Amino acid sequence: MSAADGPLPVVTTERPDGQGAFLIVCEHASNHFPEAFGALGLPEAARHAHIAWDPGALALARRLSEALDATLVSAGVSRLVYDLNRPPHAPGAMAAQSEVYEIPGNEGIGPDERLRRTETIYLPFHRALHDTIARRLAQGRRTVMVTVHSFTPVYFGQPRAVELGIIHDADPAFAKAVLAEAQARTALLCRMNEPYSAADGVTHTLRLQATPYGLAHVMLEIRNDLLADDSAVAGVATELAPVLSAALSAMTQTQTEKAAS
Amino acid sequence: MSAADGPLPVVTTERPDGQGAFLIVCEHASNHFPEAFGALGLPEAARHAHIAWDPGALALARRLSEALDATLVSAGVSRLVYDLNRPPHAPGAMAAQSEVYEIPGNEGIGPDERLRRTETIYLPFHRALHDTIARRLAQGRRTVMVTVHSFTPVYFGQPRAVELGIIHDADPAFAKAVLAEAQARTALLCRMNEPYSAADGVTHTLRLQATPYGLAHVMLEIRNDLLADDSAVAGVATELAPVLSAALSAMTQTQTEKAAS
């Protein structure tokens, strides 16, 4: 769970032969700063803060992957080096400022450095994810994309009440089903498109990888104080895995009824 | 212009250092049937018909690339082996029937063969195109995608009057500008979203590669009897290159005025 774990590959695929319909994605899994890019002038505290990664997200994604027999694609580089949920021309892809932190190593970087990070981080990650999706589609396998994120409970000094944010790109069908099941089956304070939404530019992965293929999808945002240790993560996973399964069943039934009527 | 030209790579990038804003794409450039897949049981006449490729499209795309100093990405495999403008799960990606022709080699193919063609044709082509786009965006280069196609003048026995079809995916802004300039500057019979449109599933490349990045885009469909030989192609290119340039200027001006008001 820290940069001390040593170098990680840009992209890791776990449970590649998982038979479940879900394809789980974790773009902000790691706060690793590869040697090729350095620590961007950040003190250690900043490199461990939520600006560098989504604490707890990978642990949760792994437990969901296990519970749902789902392939998991995760990234091994801090979002501050390249935020994989942003396109290469977005300022936030290599942000010079994140919440109250300045990122010295991202200030004033030019086209060459942006190209280098795009080629070494963005392209390999999204290529691996796209390959996985295209192969599943070629084989006629159902694919529902679930991206797993966590958010900070206090942002610019303001506490956030929402515990589970359920966010969608163009097609809200699966997100609506997830919200209904989460409200029915858990005690979590759930909100649609909070603490932010597609309009804030946070659905790049879904827009690039799920929407063009018409894949059902959802982005889960869990408040990171609910993922503080392994036992907390296990508890959230135990709540969310059946939510996802039930939501898929409910959406499938609705679609079947619509098709028949 | 024929299968006799010998094996071609799956994807070719011409004018990679072109400085123009346009990125030209030609998915149906070739009627080449690579040895690995054979002739799909088709007689020679079918392998030269419009079902196998878009006759004249590559020649036109090359002239537009030259006139506009635009990078051109084209495919080297017949659309009957894999139609690169279709996703891997679409029946039309490896169609068993096309217009009045049956494609014996595509009948009853299973998941393994669909996966093989996806991995050897679809993925390398779209990877190369995506790499090109992401690199341009990282460098802050404006990118307007123009896909170049041709269509048969007679379809299921019915003649088609339209000469230039102008088709768009989610964002119609550039297509509208192209239509206005084509009507003002040429004698071509132009129509928006004819002879087919995004609703018919013909905008996969735009949806996969342009729309997720918010790139201005258009799919040009030229009736192939207007591209019968080199001199005809040159004439159409001479008409369309200034149409595209003027449309880009007009769209840019409209956007600038909107932003200022």
Side-chain angles (χ1 to χ4, degrees):
Chain A
M1 305 256 292
S2 84
D5 293 344
L8 294 173
V10 169
V11 55
T12 301
T13 301
E14 297 178 52
R15 215 173 295 275
D17 300 320
Q19 292 303 300
F22 294 106
L23 174 60
I24 300 177
V25 181
C26 195
E27 304 101 312
H28 300 155
S30 171
N31 65 341
H32 179 60
F33 289 79
E35 274 188 27
F37 302 98
L40 306 180
L42 292 166
E44 197 179 333
R47 297 202 305 274
H48 285 83
H50 69 92
I51 60 164
W53 64 327
D54 286 357
L58 178 60
L60 176 61
R62 284 185 168 148
R63 288 197 178 262
L64 291 174
S65 162
E66 188 183 358
L68 299 164
D69 195 20
T71 298
L72 164 61
V73 177
S74 67
V77 176
S78 169
R79 67 197 291 176
L80 294 180
V81 184
Y82 193 111
D83 185 332
L84 291 161
N85 198 24
R86 300 289 185 281
H89 55 310
M94 301 158 227
Q97 174 125 14
S98 181
E99 204 207 3
V100 297
Y101 298 83
E102 290 186 0
I103 325 294
N106 287 349
E107 216 156 300
I109 57 171
D112 288 352
E113 177 63 11
R114 298 185 74 87
L115 179 61
R116 183 169 78 109
R117 297 193 197 178
T118 298
E119 288 186 327
T120 53
I121 304 169
Y122 178 82
L123 282 175
F125 178 84
H126 281 290
R127 181 182 297 150
L129 182 55
H130 184 244
D131 286 0
T132 298
I133 293 166
R135 289 184 180 121
R136 292 172 69 110
L137 295 178
Q139 293 172 298
R141 289 192 54 193
R142 186 167 197 184
T143 300
V144 177
M145 190 179 296
V146 178
T147 66
V148 177
H149 292 254
S150 73
F151 63 94
T152 179
V154 180
Y155 191 64
F156 282 112
Q158 298 297 313
R160 283 159 157 172
V162 57
E163 295 175 314
L164 172 62
I166 296 165
I167 298 159
H168 60 81
D169 189 49
D171 177 3
F174 186 61
K176 285 181 180 174
V178 171
L179 179 63
E181 296 296 337
Q183 287 175 331
R185 290 165 182 266
T186 79
L188 293 167
L189 180 60
C190 308
R191 292 275 187 271
M192 182 72 90
N193 293 319
E194 288 189 25
Y196 26 69
S197 75
D200 303 301
V202 301
T203 57
H204 177 62
T205 297
L206 297 176
R207 186 164 295 181
L208 182 68
Q209 303 270 8
T211 295
Y213 291 110
L215 300 184
H217 62 261
V218 72
M219 174 178 177
L220 299 179
E221 279 279 6
I222 297 91
R223 211 177 63 199
N224 71 29
D225 57 309
L226 303 176
L227 306 174
D229 58 34
D230 279 350
S231 126
V233 168
V236 172
T238 302
E239 290 205 284
L240 290 187
V243 163
L244 292 171
S245 294
L248 180 54
S249 298
M251 184 184 69
T252 307
Q253 197 180 335
T254 305
Q255 288 170 343
T256 307
E257 286 166 5
K258 268 191 194 163
S261 70
Chain B
M1 306 255 292
S2 85
D5 292 343
L8 293 172
V10 169
V11 54
T12 301
T13 301
E14 297 178 51
R15 216 173 295 275
D17 300 319
Q19 292 302 302
F22 295 105
L23 174 60
I24 300 177
V25 180
C26 196
E27 303 102 310
H28 301 155
S30 170
N31 65 342
H32 178 60
F33 289 78
E35 273 187 29
F37 302 99
L40 306 180
L42 293 166
E44 197 179 333
R47 297 201 305 273
H48 286 83
H50 69 91
I51 60 163
W53 64 327
D54 286 356
L58 179 60
L60 175 61
R62 283 184 169 147
R63 288 197 179 263
L64 291 174
S65 163
E66 187 182 0
L68 299 164
D69 194 21
T71 298
L72 164 61
V73 177
S74 68
V77 176
S78 168
R79 67 197 289 175
L80 294 180
V81 184
Y82 193 111
D83 184 334
L84 290 161
N85 198 25
R86 299 289 184 283
H89 56 308
M94 303 158 225
Q97 174 125 13
S98 180
E99 203 206 4
V100 297
Y101 299 83
E102 289 185 1
I103 325 295
N106 287 349
E107 215 155 302
I109 56 171
D112 288 353
E113 177 63 11
R114 298 185 76 87
L115 180 61
R116 184 170 77 109
R117 297 193 198 177
T118 298
E119 287 186 328
T120 52
I121 305 168
Y122 178 82
L123 283 175
F125 178 84
H126 281 291
R127 181 181 299 151
L129 182 55
H130 184 243
D131 286 0
T132 298
I133 292 165
R135 289 184 179 120
R136 293 171 69 110
L137 295 178
Q139 294 172 298
R141 289 192 54 193
R142 186 166 196 186
T143 300
V144 177
M145 191 178 296
V146 178
T147 67
V148 178
H149 292 253
S150 73
F151 64 93
T152 180
V154 180
Y155 191 65
F156 282 112
Q158 299 297 313
R160 284 160 156 169
V162 57
E163 295 176 314
L164 171 62
I166 296 164
I167 297 159
H168 59 82
D169 189 49
D171 177 4
F174 186 62
K176 285 181 179 175
V178 170
L179 178 64
E181 295 296 336
Q183 287 175 330
R185 290 165 182 266
T186 78
L188 294 166
L189 181 59
C190 308
R191 292 275 186 273
M192 182 72 90
N193 293 321
E194 288 190 26
Y196 26 71
S197 75
D200 303 301
V202 302
T203 58
H204 177 62
T205 297
L206 297 175
R207 186 164 296 181
L208 182 68
Q209 303 270 9
T211 296
Y213 292 110
L215 300 184
H217 61 262
V218 72
M219 174 178 178
L220 299 178
E221 279 280 6
I222 297 92
R223 212 176 63 199
N224 72 30
D225 57 308
L226 303 175
L227 307 173
D229 58 35
D230 278 351
S231 124
V233 168
V236 172
T238 302
E239 290 204 285
L240 290 188
V243 163
L244 292 171
S245 295
L248 179 54
S249 298
M251 184 185 68
T252 307
Q253 196 179 335
T254 304
Q255 289 170 343
T256 308
E257 285 166 5
K258 268 191 194 164
S261 69

